[in-house]
Amino acid sequence: MDNIDSRLEDTGRAFLGAAWDRLLKERVVPPPAFHPYLQVGRDNFGGSVSSLAEYRALEEAIIASHPRFDTGRSLAEREFPPRVDAAVN
């Protein structure tokens, strides 16, 4: 496994662990038996996990590992444009 794969794996695991802890505290997980599948927007709006430092670290690792996400590239060359809050900063 090369360095970027290791970084992606490590940051992904860290994010999943932190997100799971946050969702447990918010009582989003585990879901009830009559409603076994979580749905963003119904059970959770995502803001509580996207604000985690581990989320930002994973996002940075993904961007670093794939040049097509680089904000320095023209929009035509990118996979998708940057997030709105990233473009403002």
Side-chain angles (χ1 to χ4, degrees):
M1 184 180 317
D2 65 6
N3 188 32
I4 193 63
D5 289 338
S6 177
R7 182 177 173 203
L8 286 169
E9 184 177 326
D10 293 345
T11 55
R13 287 180 191 274
F15 169 68
L16 289 175
W20 186 260
D21 289 344
R22 177 69 55 94
L23 294 173
L24 276 172
K25 288 177 186 172
E26 294 176 351
R27 297 184 178 186
V28 174
V29 293
F34 64 87
H35 181 86
Y37 301 103
L38 299 179
Q39 182 179 343
V40 174
R42 179 189 65 195
D43 302 309
N44 179 278
F45 289 99
S48 63
V49 294
S50 64
S51 65
L52 294 169
E54 293 85 355
Y55 176 86
R56 297 286 182 209
L58 177 59
E59 185 176 52
E60 290 171 9
I62 291 169
I63 290 169
S65 69
H66 299 287
R68 69 181 185 269
F69 300 141
D70 184 12
T71 58
R73 293 176 154 235
S74 71
L75 288 177
E77 294 177 353
R78 275 191 241 156
E79 191 70 24
F80 52 81
R83 292 189 353 243
V84 173
D85 63 335
V88 173
N89 293 330

